[in-house]
Amino acid sequence: MTASDTNGSAKTQPSSGGIGIANLPNQLHKIVTKKGTNFSLMVVGESGTGKTTFINTLLTTELIEPLDDASRRKKQMDRTVDINIHKAELEEKMFSVKLNVVDTPGFGDYVDNNDCWLPVVDFIENQYEQYLRQEQQPVRKGIVDMRVHACLYFIRPNGHTLKPLDVRAMKAIGARVNLIPVIAKADTLSPAALRQFKKRIMDVIDAQSIRIYQPPIESEDEHSMQRNRDIISAMPFAIIGSDKEVRTEDGRMVKGRLYPWGVAEVENDQHCDFKKLRSLLIRTHMLDLISTTEEFHYDKYRITQMKTRKFGEPKLKKADNKKFREEEDNLRARFTEKVKLEENRFRQWEQRLIAERDRLNKDLEQEHNLVKQLESEIEALSNSGSPNGKFFRK
């Protein structure tokens, strides 16, 4: 190995044994193993596309409890997109991952789905904002990191192409987070129809300039380069979700779905891309997803905010959030209706007061006339009783 002296000339150092720089990866491995990591995964898609089943199958546990039909119908009456966070801690070979799964029930489930992706976008940006505010504090120990590292967008297998809702939502979400398109319930399409469906989706993604996550191809390892090429060629991932085991014709017990014509296996590359997607999320590219979020998406947000805000200044709240706008419109309509009711009640009360005033004035006038009449009679009686008056008593 070589080193430079103060004059800049290179000096050769004995290479036997070295000075220990090669042990740095081992030290880093020990630190990371002790510290663990955080990973946040968001799932977006219409109800019934198998998001809950996929997460439970991916983690081999029931992290998200499936909704029954009554709960689904009740949720559809709310007409809002909710954000539900499910937390779990996974441990394997002394390494732990604090996992956050963000579910978005209500997305795309209504007749009017305009701006239904805004709550999703707002949640992603709010996590960036919270992390940015924590970084600006004098004491940064114990920072809570809920930044979304990957978003799985579930596409309904209609066999045609992306819907306008999918295009607009994917474009908005992909600009802020690592977006991974997923074709749900791939076993409902034939292999030929699935290949054609994938091609049409990628054509729309390229034509609309939708940003999706692309694993890096450049690598010194030929095996890693080929693996990444296979992952890119498989996008959008066609998956089958099932947490139940079924028996195949050759007697094997596998996770899949049983049909009259056979078994659709979850972990069979000939049937779906579940293993490739699982490898991308957990086994091979989790660190790249985290670093891409840190170095690109979050840094892009941080730079934008630093250019438009002073240090420590809170972020301005958006006024075009559909959910808040609908609530504001409803409150304004209720307020207007109450004001009209109060105005009508006030007018009726005013009319009654005027009628009562007129009645009292009329009675007062009658009493006044009666008093005048009595005064006239008293005066007449007084005049008749005087000495000059002509009054004869019989």
Side-chain angles (χ1 to χ4, degrees):
M1 61 178 292
T2 61
S4 298
D5 59 8
T6 56
N7 296 325
S9 59
K11 292 184 177 181
T12 303
Q13 299 289 343
S15 59
S16 59
I19 61 175
I21 294 179
N23 282 329
L24 184 60
N26 297 330
Q27 299 177 32
L28 184 61
H29 174 74
K30 292 179 180 179
I31 294 174
V32 173
T33 302
K34 181 179 179 180
K35 184 178 179 181
T37 187
N38 294 326
F39 187 74
S40 296
L41 176 66
M42 173 179 278
V43 288
V44 178
E46 302 176 21
S47 296
T49 52
K51 302 187 297 295
T52 300
T53 304
F54 170 78
I55 292 298
N56 294 337
T57 306
L58 177 69
L59 304 177
T60 64
T61 183
E62 189 173 314
L63 179 63
I64 305 177
E65 184 177 356
L67 295 177
D68 53 11
D69 294 337
S71 300
R72 289 181 184 273
R73 288 192 295 269
K74 183 179 180 181
K75 177 67 192 71
Q76 291 176 354
M77 295 299 294
D78 295 341
R79 297 183 58 81
T80 57
V81 179
D82 295 336
I83 302 295
N84 297 336
I85 303 176
H86 306 272
K87 297 185 177 183
E89 186 169 353
L90 309 179
E91 185 173 347
E92 182 178 338
K93 294 182 179 180
M94 303 299 293
F95 184 80
S96 63
V97 175
K98 295 180 181 178
L99 178 66
N100 304 305
V101 178
V102 184
D103 192 12
T104 57
F107 178 87
D109 292 344
Y110 312 111
V111 177
D112 182 11
N113 291 309
N114 287 327
D115 300 335
C116 68
W117 57 86
L118 288 182
V120 178
V121 172
D122 289 343
F123 176 82
I124 295 173
E125 292 189 344
N126 287 339
Q127 304 315 308
Y128 290 156
E129 177 64 21
Q130 291 181 14
Y131 193 84
L132 176 63
R133 297 296 299 273
Q134 292 179 91
E135 277 192 330
Q136 295 176 348
Q137 300 302 315
V139 179
R140 295 187 294 178
K141 185 177 181 180
I143 290 181
V144 178
D145 186 6
M146 283 290 295
R147 293 173 297 178
V148 179
H149 300 112
C151 175
L152 301 181
Y153 189 91
F154 283 72
I155 303 169
R156 190 174 292 278
N158 54 31
H160 301 289
T161 185
L162 293 176
K163 298 186 296 184
L165 169 64
D166 298 328
V167 174
R168 298 182 64 185
M170 292 174 66
K171 185 175 292 187
I173 298 172
R176 296 167 173 84
V177 73
N178 295 318
L179 180 66
I180 302 175
V182 173
I183 299 176
K185 299 183 177 181
D187 51 337
T188 59
L189 298 173
S190 65
L194 182 59
R195 288 193 297 270
Q196 187 66 22
F197 189 39
K198 281 189 173 186
K199 183 178 182 303
R200 290 174 180 172
I201 291 176
M202 293 305 299
D203 290 342
V204 173
I205 289 176
D206 294 337
Q208 296 293 332
S209 300
I210 299 174
R211 182 182 178 87
I212 61 175
Y213 173 72
Q214 297 282 351
I217 298 180
E218 296 81 6
S219 176
E220 297 179 357
D221 186 3
E222 183 65 27
H223 175 71
S224 299
M225 293 178 61
Q226 185 60 39
R227 180 191 61 205
N228 293 341
R229 291 194 187 99
D230 294 340
I231 290 176
I232 294 175
S233 63
M235 288 189 177
F237 296 99
I239 62 170
I240 301 172
S242 177
D243 52 2
K244 298 180 180 179
E245 291 190 349
V246 295
R247 186 179 297 276
T248 61
E249 294 181 355
D250 55 0
R252 294 180 295 112
M253 295 298 296
V254 297
K255 288 184 177 181
R257 295 185 178 274
L258 181 62
Y259 293 98
W261 46 264
V263 175
E265 300 180 23
V266 172
E267 299 186 2
N268 190 332
D269 289 336
Q270 301 298 325
H271 296 178
C272 70
D273 301 322
F274 177 84
K275 289 180 64 176
K276 294 179 181 178
L277 180 56
R278 182 178 62 184
S279 176
L280 172 70
L281 292 174
I282 300 176
R283 185 179 297 273
T284 59
H285 289 83
M286 177 182 284
L287 181 59
D288 187 64
L289 289 168
I290 295 174
S291 61
T292 304
T293 301
E294 174 73 31
E295 298 171 3
F296 180 78
H297 294 290
Y298 170 70
D299 198 53
K300 178 182 176 182
Y301 175 85
R302 186 183 62 84
I303 293 174
T304 303
Q305 296 300 317
M306 289 297 185
K307 289 181 178 179
T308 57
R309 290 160 50 186
K310 297 180 181 179
F311 183 81
E313 185 179 16
K315 179 184 177 182
L316 295 177
K317 295 183 178 180
K318 293 183 179 180
D320 57 350
N321 188 298
K322 182 179 179 181
K323 180 178 178 180
F324 296 149
R325 187 168 64 246
E326 288 181 353
E327 292 180 357
E328 183 180 356
D329 293 341
N330 292 334
L331 289 175
R332 184 176 288 108
R334 290 170 56 189
F335 177 76
T336 304
E337 184 179 358
K338 286 186 177 181
V339 169
K340 289 181 179 179
L341 291 175
E342 291 297 326
E343 287 180 350
N344 293 332
R345 192 169 66 88
F346 178 77
R347 290 194 183 97
Q348 294 175 1
W349 178 64
E350 185 180 18
Q351 291 175 359
R352 287 197 299 268
L353 285 178
I354 294 174
E356 184 68 16
R357 184 196 64 185
D358 294 341
R359 186 185 67 80
L360 292 175
N361 289 337
K362 185 176 181 180
D363 292 344
L364 182 61
E365 186 178 1
Q366 290 177 355
E367 293 293 333
H368 184 67
N369 294 333
L370 180 61
V371 169
K372 284 186 176 182
Q373 182 181 359
L374 290 174
E375 288 179 351
S376 300
E377 292 179 358
I378 292 172
E379 186 177 357
L381 289 174
S382 298
N383 292 334
S384 63
S386 62
N388 297 327
K390 295 179 181 182
F391 180 75
F392 300 94
R393 176 178 297 176
K394 296 182 180 180

